[in-house]
DNA sequence: CTTACTGGCATACACTGCGTATGTAACCAA
DNA sequence: TTGGTTACATACGCAGTGTATGCCAGTAAG
């Protein structure tokens, strides 16, 4: 395996990257369904042939786009979590990082709105196990292990939490830019109250 | 307007209802994308012409299906809420009714999984304001007004709660029938803990 | 330098499925 | 019975995906 790539390989990689970039823009602005592969190809002065050479299907192209976006995002959120002094602060930092991430309209639209549409709910959810859903599960699992949260089944907890946090991110992304600062604080408040309700020391009076 | 309908009208209504029923089954088992209007029509020994006579588009057919399902469901959940002695018990009853509803695979798949795919997230969410989302907003609004929950913006709260509850219903619907009883209790527990965290008397220590 | 080969992409075609335009027969009203 | 309307069927256009094939630049071997 040559360590330095041939010109052909470099060109090929460049077009592949350009296709992913163009597809990202199209999917983010027009949505998955309304984006034709013709459009994507035209954006980089190529034809659909190029697309089908690099990706086996439209869905596969979307998956490549999603992996890039989620890879970056998960990295950011994860490092915010790890940088914090303790688990609780880490969870808060991760939440903040996530909400910040959702202020990027490309991220929120492609990952959270188009994702399930393009890949089907199952496929999307499965992919998410490597990224946002997986991160949330990890954090909650450690909080449970440390006794920060009352004992409860991780899977069910993660399902609900993932969806709740996603809704906040989604609502944030949809909002007008002028409202985003206020809304971000609101969602944050609601989510933190909810998480606090799950703490090990929180008394439960309800049936 | 004749109070007794002509035979033509009766026949027409019957086929319309049959189309909705057939479409409901198809959408629930094969999903929106994989269902062709040809299939739906064939199921009732008709052609696509009949479909396009009664509905302006595939999406419109789906909306009709969704309205029927959500109408029934919202009615059940609402009456469970109203039958309870007080607001808190009402909220619990509504939650129970919703989780029960999600045990119906048709309801959960069509409304919660295919809905956003078929109508786009916006269209779906907008329609939901008449049904599940609207009901949740109503209940939470009354709880806020009664001081049962700590003061917080209704809209953000409803967004997060709607999504959290939806995730529970969704997870429940996906599960193997043997696990559903256990899972139902798990989700219920998690959700009630979260709601309890929002109560007016819950102390908050987090930042 | 030539030759043979491979990889990257373009072109052309098949197929599916939605939507629309047009046809037709049953029904109803005058 | 006749004229019009309603409920559907039939036929067509069109968009968009996927596939099969062709072509040319780039690379490697002799």
């Amino acid at each position: 395996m040559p360590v330095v790539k041939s010109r052909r390989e470099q060109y090929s990689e460049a077009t592949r990257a350009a296709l992913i970039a163009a597809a990202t823009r199209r999917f983010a602005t027009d949505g998955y369904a309304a984006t034709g592969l013709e459009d994507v190809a035209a954006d980089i002065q190529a034809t659909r042939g190029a697309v089908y050479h690099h990706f086996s299907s439209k869905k596969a192209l979307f998956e490549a786009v999603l992996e890039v976006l989620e890879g970056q995002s998960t990295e950011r959120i994860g490092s915010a979590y790890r940088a914090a002094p303790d688990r609780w602060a880490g969870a808060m930092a991760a939440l903040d990082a996530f909400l910040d991430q959702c202020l990027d309209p490309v991220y929120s639209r492609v990952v959270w709105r188009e994702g399930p549409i393009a890949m089907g709910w199952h496929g999307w959810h499965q992919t998410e196990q490597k990224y946002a859903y997986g991160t949330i599960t990890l954090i909650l699992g450690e909080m449970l292990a440390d006794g920060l949260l009352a004992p409860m089944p991780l899977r069910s907890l993660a399902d609900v939490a993932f969806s709740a946090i996603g809704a906040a991110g989604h609502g944030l992304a949809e909002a007008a830019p002028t409202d985003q600062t206020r809304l971000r604080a609101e969602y944050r408040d609601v989510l933190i109250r909810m998480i606090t309700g799950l703490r090990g020391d929180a008394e439960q009076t309800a049936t």
Side-chain angles (χ1 to χ4, degrees), chain A residues 64-84:
Chain A
V65 167
L66 189 135
E67 298 255 339
V68 170
L69 290 175
E70 274 293 47
Q72 297 166 349
S73 160
T74 303
E75 170 56 29
R76 270 195 283 273
I77 294 170
S79 63
Y81 174 63
R82 288 187 297 272

Side-chain angles (χ1 to χ4, degrees), chain A residues 37-117:
Chain A
L37 294 183
E38 191 80 47
D39 307 327
V40 175
D43 283 351
I44 65 159
Q45 279 79 254
T47 66
R48 293 186 317 128
V51 177
Y52 278 99
H53 178 74
H54 287 283
F55 306 95
S56 61
S57 67
K58 184 180 178 182
K59 192 172 146 188
L61 172 61
F62 182 89
E63 283 190 43
V65 167
L66 189 135
E67 298 255 339
V68 170
L69 290 175
E70 274 293 47
Q72 297 166 349
S73 160
T74 303
E75 170 56 29
R76 270 195 283 273
I77 294 170
S79 63
Y81 174 63
R82 288 187 297 272
D86 60 76
R87 293 228 191 286
W88 187 267
M92 296 300 119
L95 175 59
D96 278 324
F98 175 77
L99 292 177
D100 284 340
Q101 184 64 56
C102 287
L103 290 177
D104 173 14
V106 173
Y107 172 81
S108 63
R109 165 129 197 205
V110 171
V111 173
W112 289 86
R113 251 180 65 190
E114 301 300 324
I117 293 177

